[in-house]
């Protein structure tokens, strides 16, 4: 699937040994190996203060929020891989999504960076549910909160502490194929959306 669609894989956890970070890096590797230009983003590289309306009014959005939005803008599909925190998503991820949602440049419509891209979501957890309960919250945040288009397919890795092989791939071949298939669906959907906006 060689084309110019660009995908961004975002890890919703900053922990160095995060399984979700490993899964996001693997996603970018799989995409690039299959001719889909992709990159990996670590939210730990974009530290931001907790969203505060008074802070925004006084100083505007933090520079790292602008940098993250700019990174979103140069990619057509965004795959967010997030751990589950108490059946929800990490404050790190929610805060980043909130700050990015507040930035409007060049008289653009509200939430344009979300509404003009396709998103996919995934998770990894040592537990038996693979972090899937947190994905319900992430989907709601993206679809209802920002108006984003999110693929109905989502990808979860349970027993993540035993799921990765020494080469960084998933040990289970069916899981690898499912992950690859979800990535390809994201790339196709992003390509279709690009075409729709080009015609509009």
């Amino acid at each position: 699937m060689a084309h110019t669609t660009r995908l961004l894989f975002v890890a919703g956890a900053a922990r160095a040994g995060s399984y979700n970070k490993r899964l996001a890096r693997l996603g970018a590797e799989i995409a690039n190996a299959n001719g889909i230009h992709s990159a990996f983003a670590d939210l730990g590289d974009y530290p931001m203060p907790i969203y505060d309306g008074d802070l925004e009014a006084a100083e505007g959005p933090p520079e790292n929020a602008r940098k993250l939005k700019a990174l979103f803008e140069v990619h057509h599909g965004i795959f967010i891989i997030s751990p589950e925190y108490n059946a929800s998503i990490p404050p790190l991820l929610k805060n980043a999504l909130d700050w990015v949602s507040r930035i409007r440049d060049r008289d653009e419509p509200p939430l344009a960076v979300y509404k003009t891209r396709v998103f996919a979501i995934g998770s990894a957890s040592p537990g038996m549910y693979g972090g899937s309960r947190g994905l319900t919250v992430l989907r709601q945040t993206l679809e209802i909160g920002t108006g984003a288009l999110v693929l109905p397919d989502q990808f979860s890795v349970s027993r993540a502490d035993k799921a990765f092989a020494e080469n960084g791939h998933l040990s289970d071949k069916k899981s690898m194929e499912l992950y690859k298939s979800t990535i390809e669906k994201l790339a196709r959907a992003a390509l279709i959306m690009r075409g729709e906006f080009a015609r509009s």
Side-chain angles (χ1 to χ4, degrees), residues 43 45-49 51 60-73 95-103 105 113-114:
L43 290 183
D45 294 332
Y46 300 87
M48 306 173 205
Y51 177 76
E63 184 60 26
N64 278 335
R66 294 189 179 279
K67 289 180 179 179
L68 186 60
K69 178 175 182 280
L71 187 62
F72 281 13
E73 288 175 332
N95 192 54
L97 295 174
D98 287 346
W99 270 119
V100 169
S101 75
R102 300 297 300 170
I103 304 172
D105 298 313
V113 73
Y114 290 105

Side-chain angles (χ1 to χ4, degrees), residues 68-197:
L68 186 60
K69 178 175 182 280
L71 187 62
F72 281 13
E73 288 175 332
V74 297
H75 292 87
H76 313 106
I78 300 175
F79 206 136
I80 299 178
I81 311 291
S82 173
E84 176 186 322
Y85 281 21
N86 296 320
S88 186
I89 59 176
L92 173 71
L93 175 58
K94 182 61 165 62
N95 192 54
L97 295 174
D98 287 346
W99 270 119
V100 169
S101 75
R102 300 297 300 170
I103 304 172
R104 293 177 63 182
D105 298 313
R106 301 178 297 278
D107 298 320
E108 68 184 9
L111 303 170
V113 73
Y114 290 105
K115 294 180 178 179
T116 55
R117 273 144 195 84
V118 182
F119 288 78
I121 56 178
S123 59
S125 169
M128 63 182 296
Y129 297 112
S132 59
R133 293 175 300 181
L135 294 183
T136 300
V137 178
L138 179 55
R139 182 178 296 278
Q140 176 178 298
T141 299
L142 291 170
E143 291 183 342
I144 301 176
T146 71
L149 174 63
V150 184
L151 291 185
D153 303 69
Q154 58 189 44
F155 183 73
S156 294
V157 176
S158 59
R159 312 297 186 195
D161 52 329
K162 300 177 181 178
F164 291 89
E166 290 185 4
N167 64 359
H169 290 191
L170 296 172
S171 300
D172 184 75
K173 291 184 178 180
K174 289 184 178 179
S175 292
M176 278 290 290
E177 287 300 317
L178 180 58
Y179 196 17
K180 177 184 174 183
S181 173
T182 307
I183 292 168
E184 290 175 340
K185 287 179 181 179
L186 175 61
R188 285 195 295 270
L191 186 64
I192 292 170
M193 178 172 274
R194 287 177 64 198
E196 289 177 351
F197 277 102

Side-chain angles (χ1 to χ4, degrees), residues 27-57:
E29 179 184 321
I30 291 171
N32 282 313
N34 286 274
I36 307 168
H37 301 289
S38 300
F40 165 78
D42 185 341
L43 290 183
D45 294 332
Y46 300 87
M48 306 173 205
I50 295 295
Y51 177 76
D52 181 316
D54 290 339
L55 177 64
E56 180 186 18

